[in-house]
Amino acid sequence: MIKRLCCITGGYGRLGKDMAKAFVAGDFDVLITGRDAEKLEEAAGEIGCDHYMFDVTKEEQGEQLKTYIRGKYNKLDVLINNAGIMRSRPVPRMNPSLFLSVLKTNLYGPFLSAHIMFPLLKKSKNAMIINICSTSAHRADAGMSAYSASKFGLLGFTESLRKEMRQYNIRVSSISPSSIEFDDGPLSGKGIALKGKDVAEAAVFLANSHGRALYRDLEIWATNP
């Protein structure tokens, strides 16, 4: 039986690796991408998955990735736009080029990935795009103007893309987690933040849900932070 293929951008980061491991455990073929070849190869070896270098702000690299996927897998079933950066500075002290770099990675990157991978997603019988947003896509804090702007924008982009893709039976959802920790501490109790595995489990749930069901946004909070 041919496995479904999940492509995760920013796949060598801590959240990216947690999601990749969850999809491998869920019997998916997994392809992680990133812009640092050494970190990407190391992460793929740890996870046991495929990898391909792709900076989400580079259109040429995205086209090369599409050619690679088409040649090896023929189609793409799940695209997870996970690559992102956070830069926290008040507006008076933020360099304009830094502000633009956050928007380019966090907002333009998901657009570019969805735009380029659309023909491969159309070939799937149960295709899905999952954009990793944040609770910062729903409420902003001082000092977080660039990150909040990028995530508010990503949530709006997700809403528009969702309406465009329904006619092709491609589902588009987002996950908006609060702060994430990546240790193996207690599972519940006062002061316990979300774990990367919580977000990974949510992503696998969305990908495995029936094609007839369209989830808009999963906002995930820590129970008792």
Side-chain angles (χ1 to χ4, degrees):
M1 183 178 178
I2 299 177
K3 294 182 178 181
R4 297 172 69 199
L5 174 64
C6 174
C7 176
I8 304 171
T9 68
Y12 58 68
R14 292 178 296 179
L15 180 56
K17 288 197 291 186
D18 278 348
M19 288 193 291
K21 290 174 182 177
F23 275 90
V24 167
D27 205 30
F28 281 75
D29 280 328
V30 174
L31 169 65
I32 62 171
T33 74
R35 57 189 176 188
D36 186 306
E38 185 176 345
K39 291 180 180 179
L40 188 62
E41 185 174 356
E42 181 181 350
E46 175 187 336
I47 297 162
C49 68
D50 199 358
H51 65 285
Y52 198 91
M53 196 166 77
F54 170 41
D55 179 335
V56 296
T57 68
K58 306 295 185 184
E59 184 176 357
E60 182 179 354
Q61 291 184 17
E63 292 292 345
Q64 292 168 351
L65 173 63
K66 180 172 68 174
T67 299
Y68 175 79
I69 293 175
R70 180 185 288 122
K72 186 170 181 177
Y73 300 99
N74 186 51
K75 63 181 177 63
L76 177 60
D77 300 286
V78 181
L79 170 63
I80 301 182
N81 286 312
N82 170 66
I85 58 175
M86 178 188 289
R87 300 292 183 267
S88 303
R89 287 177 178 80
V91 170
R93 293 196 286 108
M94 174 166 276
N95 188 299
S97 64
L98 182 62
F99 187 93
L100 285 174
S101 71
V102 174
L103 265 67
K104 193 168 185 180
T105 298
N106 295 2
L107 183 54
Y108 175 70
F111 155 77
L112 187 62
S113 296
H115 171 74
I116 290 174
M117 296 303 157
F118 172 66
L120 297 176
L121 289 161
K122 274 179 61 177
K123 291 184 175 184
S124 172
K125 294 181 179 178
N126 188 18
M128 181 155 221
I129 299 171
I130 301 173
N131 291 329
I132 303 301
C133 288
S134 166
T135 51
S136 291
H138 300 266
R139 56 200 64 81
D141 292 309
M144 298 287 289
S145 60
Y147 186 73
S148 292
S150 71
K151 293 301 184 177
F152 266 82
L154 181 56
L155 195 63
F157 170 71
T158 302
E159 180 73 16
S160 181
L161 184 63
R162 178 185 302 117
K163 293 177 179 178
E164 294 177 4
M165 293 294 104
R166 293 176 78 175
Q167 63 182 305
Y168 305 106
N169 293 313
I170 299 173
R171 297 179 295 157
V172 181
S173 296
S174 55
I175 300 175
S176 295
S178 59
S179 296
I180 301 172
E181 293 180 352
F182 294 92
D183 57 35
D184 293 320
L187 298 179
S188 62
K190 174 64 178 174
I192 306 303
L194 292 176
K195 306 299 182 186
K197 293 177 182 178
D198 299 320
V199 180
E201 289 173 358
V204 173
F205 163 75
L206 288 173
N208 282 331
S209 61
H210 292 291
R212 64 177 178 268
L214 179 57
Y215 296 85
R216 296 178 67 247
D217 177 65
L218 293 184
E219 188 176 358
I220 311 174
W221 289 25
T223 300
N224 188 13

